[in-house]
């Protein structure tokens, strides 16, 4: 989990071209915020801080500290603006420059592992985080990256061990949020919600990390059918940060669950105008499909595919996202192609197996569907969508009792779940 100038109009191509390592390396520019994000209170301070740090680098080009501070600011900007294709290569340029000067720099190694996580380069992220842990085994941050990497690689028991170590070293928003996610993976929604509440309480009110935690808490309430509680979380975020696009998308999902489709689309349009997040557009496509407008849905699905292709060109692995996208748009052969590519890298991950199981179900390959859904269920997840689809697979195979049991479990997690 990644948690923070002068105005500039440099393009991503100009930034990623600055790859000369060492003290004479050019520091990539800030990506100039646009629209509502440009009027946020912290933006002017961010620009001033980056300008100040760049001046320090000019005076002392061999000092790695201001370079690392800029990397941290850019990590935050990537989350706030959604300009991942620009920022992740830019951050890697900075960090590689630091590592050229100091190959065993702990912060640069750890931040690089965080960026690789964000780019879905999970095996490399884990390798870098392990390297950082050898440098400093008593830092809580690196254990957080190890939690994330092991979860994505399907090493759930190891992820729990890393989470426990992180909690022991430093209870924090980051530690509580990871404990929450692991509890969710293991089917404990009440425990997951309790841990995420602790994460919210540990955050600085109004900060991006705290709003992120409140947004995840809202999503947990959504998943468990507590729509009013979810709505309260999203509204609370927008009081503190009116341009927080993910909270608008959360409100849209609540409207969608209530079949208020036009209101949901208006909120998603507003969120998409703030930041280029593919999931907002994917949600729009799903709503168009629910409204029966197949042409609009397919056009929007194609738009999402282009966005994901752009991410892929910047080094972001998006095979699982493409698998899910093509499944939703009914292009099952393409979905299988991308799902199998991801499966080759992460055969133990429950989300990857879930996605492949549903592709095979739609292709009427029920034995393969059952094979993958069994892996997807191995942690005891109570996710209602997973349980519903697992139930559908069992029913299609003639396993009526097991199928009905899984569908009943989905309703138990979320009584409002539409089957």
């Amino acid at each position: 989990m990644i948690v923070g100038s002068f105005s500039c109009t440099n393009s991503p191509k100009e930034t990623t071209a600055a790859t000369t390592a060492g003290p004479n390396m050019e520091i990539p520019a800030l990506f100039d915020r646009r629209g509502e994000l440009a009027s946020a209170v912290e933006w002017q301070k961010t620009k001033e801080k980056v300008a100040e740090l760049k001046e320090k680098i000019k005076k002392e080009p061999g000092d790695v500290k201001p370079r690392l501070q800029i990397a941290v600011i850019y990590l935050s900007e990537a989350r706030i603006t959604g300009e991942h294709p620009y920022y992740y290569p830019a951050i890697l340029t900075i960090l590689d420059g630091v590592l050229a000067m100091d190959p065993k720099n702990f912060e640069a190694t750890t931040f690089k592992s965080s960026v690789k996580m964000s780019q879905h380069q999970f095996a490399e992220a884990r390798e870098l985080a392990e390297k950082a842990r050898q440098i400093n085994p008593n830092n809580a941050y690196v254990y957080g990256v190890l939690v994330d990497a092991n979860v994505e690689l399907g090493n759930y028991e190891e992820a729990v061990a890393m989470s426990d170590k992180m909690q022991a070293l430093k209870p924090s928003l980051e530690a509580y949020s990871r404990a929450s996610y692991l509890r969710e993976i293991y089917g404990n929604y009440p425990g997951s919600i309790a841990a995420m509440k602790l994460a919210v309480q540990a955050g600085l009110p109004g900060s991006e990390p705290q709003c992120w935690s409140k947004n995840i808490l809202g999503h947990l309430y959504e998943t468990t059918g507590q729509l009013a509680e979810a709505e309260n979380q999203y509204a609370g975020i927008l009081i503190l940060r009116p341009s927080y696009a993910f909270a608008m998308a959360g409100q849209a999902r609540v409207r969608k669950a209530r079949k208020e489709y036009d209101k949901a689309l208006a909120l998603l349009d507003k969120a998409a105008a703030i930041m280029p997040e593919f999931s907002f557009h994917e949600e729009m496509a799903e709503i168009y499909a629910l409204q029966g407008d197949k042409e609009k849905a397919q056009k929007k699905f194609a738009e999402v595919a282009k966005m994901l292709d752009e991410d892929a060109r910047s080094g972001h692995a998006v095979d699982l996202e493409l698998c899910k996208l093509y499944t939703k748009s009914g292009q099952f052969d393409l979905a299988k192609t991308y799902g199998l590519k991801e499966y080759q890298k992460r055969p133990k991950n429950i989300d990857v197996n879930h996605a492949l199981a549903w592709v095979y179900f739609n292709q009427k390959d029920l034995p393969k569907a059952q094979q993958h859904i069994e892996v997807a269920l191995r942690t005891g997840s109570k996710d209602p969508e997973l349980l519903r689809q697992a139930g559908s697979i069992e029913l299609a195979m003639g396993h009526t009792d097991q199928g009905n049991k899984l569908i009943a479990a989905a309703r138990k997690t979320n009584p409002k779940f539409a089957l």
Side-chain angles (χ1 to χ4, degrees):
M1 180 180 66
I2 302 171
V3 218
S5 86
F6 55 73
S7 179
C8 172
T9 57
N10 279 17
S11 71
K13 287 183 180 178
E14 290 172 317
T15 295
T16 55
T19 56
T20 304
N24 296 320
M25 180 203 73
E26 179 186 346
I27 298 294
L30 272 170
F31 191 98
D32 202 18
R33 289 193 191 182
R34 301 180 180 90
E36 287 188 42
L37 291 175
S39 61
V41 174
E42 79 273 0
W43 177 229
Q44 185 60 36
K45 294 178 182 178
T46 299
K47 291 190 287 184
E48 291 169 358
K49 184 63 178 178
V50 171
E52 175 191 322
L53 290 168
K54 285 188 174 183
E55 283 302 313
K56 286 185 179 181
I57 291 168
K58 283 183 183 178
K59 292 176 183 176
E60 296 184 59
D63 186 359
V64 300
K65 289 182 181 179
R67 298 172 186 270
L68 291 169
Q69 286 178 275
I70 290 176
V72 171
I73 291 170
Y74 284 13
L75 284 167
S76 179
E77 282 295 298
R79 280 179 56 138
I80 291 169
T81 65
E83 297 292 349
H84 306 146
Y86 177 89
Y87 271 116
Y88 292 152
I91 297 163
L92 289 174
T93 295
I94 296 169
L95 297 176
D96 285 341
V98 171
L99 290 168
M101 293 185 277
D102 181 6
K104 292 187 177 181
N105 186 281
F106 172 77
E107 288 84 0
T109 305
T110 307
F111 293 152
K112 186 172 181 178
S113 69
S114 287
V115 175
K116 292 295 181 180
M117 273 300 308
S118 296
Q119 292 183 313
H120 294 186
Q121 305 287 348
F122 303 122
E124 188 175 354
R126 185 177 183 274
E127 183 180 340
L128 284 163
E130 287 289 3
K131 183 178 179 181
R133 181 164 66 149
Q134 295 301 315
I135 298 169
N136 182 358
N138 296 311
N139 180 278
Y141 186 100
V142 73
Y143 288 96
V145 182
L146 284 167
V147 173
D148 299 341
N150 280 298
V151 163
E152 297 298 342
L153 292 169
N155 304 326
Y156 300 108
E157 294 82 2
E158 189 171 348
V160 170
M162 295 299 99
S163 178
D164 289 345
K165 181 69 174 176
M166 187 183 190
Q167 293 274 2
L169 285 168
K170 186 180 179 182
S172 62
L173 178 152
E174 293 80 9
Y176 293 134
S177 63
R178 287 178 169 90
S180 172
Y181 187 41
L182 285 166
R183 290 176 184 181
E184 181 184 1
I185 286 170
Y186 279 95
N188 181 2
Y189 275 109
S192 179
I193 289 170
M196 194 55 73
K197 284 181 178 178
L198 290 175
V200 171
Q201 291 168 11
L204 180 67
S207 66
E208 195 279 336
Q210 195 216 31
C211 289
W212 179 87
S213 298
K214 283 178 72 66
N215 194 66
I216 298 298
L217 179 58
H219 197 266
L220 287 168
Y221 282 131
E222 271 186 73
T223 303
T224 52
Q226 302 174 73
L227 297 183
E229 290 289 347
E231 207 163 24
N232 287 340
Q233 294 299 322
Y234 300 137
I237 293 168
L238 291 168
I239 289 170
L240 298 168
R241 292 178 79 93
S243 59
Y244 199 79
F246 288 109
M248 295 174 197
Q251 289 182 324
R253 288 193 305 273
V254 172
R255 296 287 188 273
K256 177 187 171 188
R258 292 173 175 158
K259 300 185 178 181
E260 299 172 2
Y261 297 136
D262 289 340
K263 290 181 180 178
L265 287 168
L267 285 161
L268 289 165
D269 276 332
K270 188 175 180 182
I274 293 171
M275 65 187 301
E277 168 59 36
F278 81 90
S279 65
F280 302 161
H281 297 272
E282 189 170 9
E283 197 76 51
M284 290 183 211
E286 291 182 34
I287 293 172
Y288 291 141
L290 288 169
Q291 290 179 319
D293 194 333
K294 292 183 180 180
E295 185 177 346
K296 267 191 176 180
Q298 290 301 323
K299 185 177 179 181
K300 184 58 77 171
F301 279 130
E303 188 179 327
V304 175
K306 288 182 181 178
M307 294 178 76
L308 289 171
D309 285 341
E310 181 186 352
D311 268 3
R313 287 195 295 273
S314 74
H316 191 165
V318 295
D319 292 329
L320 179 59
E321 288 76 13
L322 285 167
C323 171
K324 292 178 179 180
L325 177 72
Y326 287 126
T327 300
K328 290 174 183 176
S329 62
Q331 298 169 270
F332 301 118
D333 287 341
L334 271 174
K336 184 170 77 171
T337 296
Y338 285 105
L340 288 173
K341 282 176 68 177
E342 194 66 22
Y343 182 76
Q344 292 301 314
K345 294 181 283 187
R346 303 194 281 152
K348 298 188 293 182
N349 179 271
I350 59 177
D351 293 330
V352 174
N353 280 278
H354 178 192
L356 264 178
W358 199 237
V359 173
Y360 282 121
F361 173 81
N362 281 283
Q363 292 186 318
K364 313 300 182 188
D365 189 342
L366 297 179
K368 283 280 185 68
Q370 188 183 44
Q371 173 191 327
H372 286 288
I373 208 69
E374 285 177 358
V375 178
L377 291 167
R378 72 184 176 90
T379 60
S381 173
K382 298 295 188 294
D383 177 77
E385 180 70 9
L386 171 61
L387 293 172
R388 179 187 71 81
Q389 292 181 349
S392 297
I393 291 167
E394 293 293 340
L395 289 173
M397 296 191 74
H399 305 156
T400 305
D401 289 345
Q402 180 63 9
N404 288 334
K405 182 179 177 182
L406 286 162
I407 289 171
R411 285 198 179 101
K412 185 175 180 182
T413 298
N414 183 351
K416 296 181 176 64
F417 194 67
L419 298 170

